[in-house]
Amino acid sequence: MKKYNWGMIGTGWIAHEMADALNAVNGEIYGASNMNAEKMAKFAQEKGIQHQYSNPTDMINDPNIDVIYIATPHTFHYQYIKEALNAGKHVFCEKAITVNANEFDEVQALAKKKNLILIEGFTLLHMPLYQQVKQLISDGKIGQVKLVQVNFGSLKDYDPKNRFFNKELAGGALLDIGGYATAFARSFLSKQPTNILTTVKYFETGVDEQSGIILKNDDEQMAVMALSMRAKQPKRGVISGTKGYIEISNYPRATEADITYTADAHTQTTDKIVVGNDDKALQYEVADMQKYINNGHDDGQLALSHDVAHILNDVRNDWGMKYPFE
């Protein structure tokens, strides 16, 4: 596979993981940017990064860079994605790719116009397990999919000043962890949901602390999601059909799926799929991104992100919750 020059914006914990993945798959990292010179120098030394930039725009405009990776708070994604696409760079952006559907539609159209690859960092879309799960469903092994259930609960430290609870930085459970649950649900629904029923509990800063969300599409399939930032839940997804159901634990980086077949109301049999390595989740992302660039298309990943962005937008509209900058 061709070696690409990646430039990284942001040096937080997920950027540290991505840097390791880039070094493992691509063999090197061309550049990274952080306005804090001390943090930038430390990150570059730890990860063997060749070039340092104090200004992300300078890195984006470096003609030697092929791909921009964005790992900043959500509120900066839209700006940097547009800059990178207009500079002719492919973009891999951490979730949530944008804070609302209008921003997403704009960058999606720009990527198409520029003939560039734009991808959102949902690990679950790149884990080898899901190819086999989708094939099993396509083969009709669990019958017609009727219901998807998915949870994501994270116990964040109580700190109203942390970005997770900062409304100015688009904090809250929906954009921080809700994208994973929504991407899982949408992956196993035949159509985009058209009906949404939801309720929310707010944190003291005004962001969503936890919520329950029910989605239904025109095929009468339903998805039920539970999200929380102050109560730990298992990361568990279940796809239920007329002939059985599939349970996937730790679904963002899943390597195992348990299948229960229910041919009738009285008997059941079980099976298991085991494939992939959760420690290589980000390596799978990097490899797929570079494959998309080589092939000139993204295998439908941005289309799925489009649906996720619009579902999240519709949920917030139902709540009547807006961020101060919107």
Side-chain angles (χ1 to χ4, degrees):
M1 182 176 289
K2 177 182 174 181
K3 187 177 291 184
Y4 288 96
N5 287 337
W6 286 68
M8 306 180 68
I9 303 176
T11 58
W13 71 268
I14 191 63
H16 278 259
E17 285 194 29
M18 180 57 81
D20 292 338
L22 282 167
N23 280 324
V25 176
N26 195 50
E28 62 183 24
I29 304 169
Y30 183 86
S33 174
N34 190 316
M35 294 182 182
N36 184 310
E38 184 178 347
K39 289 183 178 179
M40 181 66 259
K42 182 180 179 182
F43 184 70
Q45 183 178 16
E46 288 179 1
K47 306 301 179 182
I49 294 169
Q50 301 171 40
H51 301 89
Q52 301 176 42
Y53 304 81
S54 60
N55 188 327
T57 298
D58 292 339
M59 185 179 71
I60 288 170
N61 289 323
D62 185 331
N64 294 308
I65 288 180
D66 304 303
V67 189
I68 295 294
Y69 167 76
I70 302 171
T72 65
H74 313 313
T75 44
F76 298 98
H77 291 179
Y78 171 69
Q79 167 196 341
Y80 289 136
I81 291 170
K82 286 205 304 179
E83 278 192 49
L85 292 174
N86 280 319
K89 316 298 185 185
H90 304 285
V91 179
F92 188 104
C93 184
E94 286 296 340
K95 51 79 192 166
I97 187 169
T98 59
V99 299
N100 59 49
N102 289 336
E103 289 184 353
F104 182 90
D105 291 347
E106 185 178 343
V107 297
Q108 183 181 34
L110 183 58
K112 182 177 180 180
K113 177 182 177 182
K114 297 288 187 178
N115 197 29
L116 294 165
I117 301 297
L118 170 62
I119 292 297
E120 184 172 14
F122 288 133
T123 49
L124 67 92
L125 305 182
H126 307 280
M127 299 300 293
L129 178 79
Y130 286 98
Q131 297 173 22
Q132 296 192 25
V133 168
K134 288 183 177 181
Q135 187 61 54
L136 185 148
I137 294 172
S138 180
D139 291 341
K141 298 296 186 181
I142 64 165
Q144 182 184 355
V145 173
K146 293 286 190 177
L147 177 67
V148 180
Q149 297 168 280
V150 58
N151 293 359
F152 199 135
S154 181
L155 180 56
K156 304 297 185 187
D157 291 335
Y158 176 81
D159 181 3
K161 296 181 180 179
N162 189 288
R163 73 164 184 88
F164 294 121
F165 303 106
N166 188 335
K167 202 169 186 179
E168 294 282 351
L169 295 177
L174 190 68
L175 289 194
D176 190 71
I177 58 180
Y180 280 120
T182 308
F184 182 93
R186 180 64 187 92
S187 292
F188 299 106
L189 297 176
S190 61
K191 294 179 180 178
Q192 176 77 334
T194 51
N195 294 330
I196 294 175
L197 179 64
T198 178
T199 188
V200 61
K201 175 189 182 298
Y202 292 106
F203 190 70
E204 62 191 67
T205 59
V207 303
D208 56 300
E209 177 186 318
Q210 65 182 38
S211 60
I213 301 167
I214 301 174
L215 309 172
K216 187 176 78 169
N217 64 19
D218 290 341
D219 286 341
E220 299 292 309
Q221 295 172 314
M222 297 178 68
V224 180
M225 304 193 296
L227 308 175
S228 177
M229 293 277 274
R230 291 284 295 149
K232 190 69 174 177
Q233 296 182 79
K235 301 180 185 72
R236 180 173 176 266
V238 182
I239 308 118
S240 299
T242 53
K243 296 180 181 179
Y245 58 90
I246 303 170
E247 297 176 274
I248 303 176
S249 296
N250 192 32
Y251 64 85
R253 301 188 180 192
T255 60
E256 298 183 8
D258 293 300
I259 306 104
T260 300
Y261 298 104
T262 53
D264 54 45
H266 308 287
T267 62
Q268 66 180 43
T269 58
T270 60
D271 197 4
K272 193 179 193 75
I273 300 173
V274 182
V275 62
N277 184 335
D278 58 353
D279 290 336
K280 293 184 177 180
L282 272 63
Q283 293 183 36
Y284 297 140
E285 287 187 324
V286 172
D288 277 352
M289 179 64 178
Q290 298 191 158
K291 179 187 75 174
Y292 300 153
I293 296 171
N294 287 339
N295 295 343
H297 62 83
D298 67 9
D299 293 345
Q301 300 302 327
L302 193 61
L304 189 142
S305 286
H306 167 275
D307 287 359
V308 170
H310 279 261
I311 291 169
L312 298 180
N313 208 75
D314 289 345
V315 168
R316 280 205 299 123
N317 285 342
D318 192 65
W319 295 342
M321 188 182 91
K322 290 189 176 295
Y323 302 115
F325 47 83
E326 291 183 298

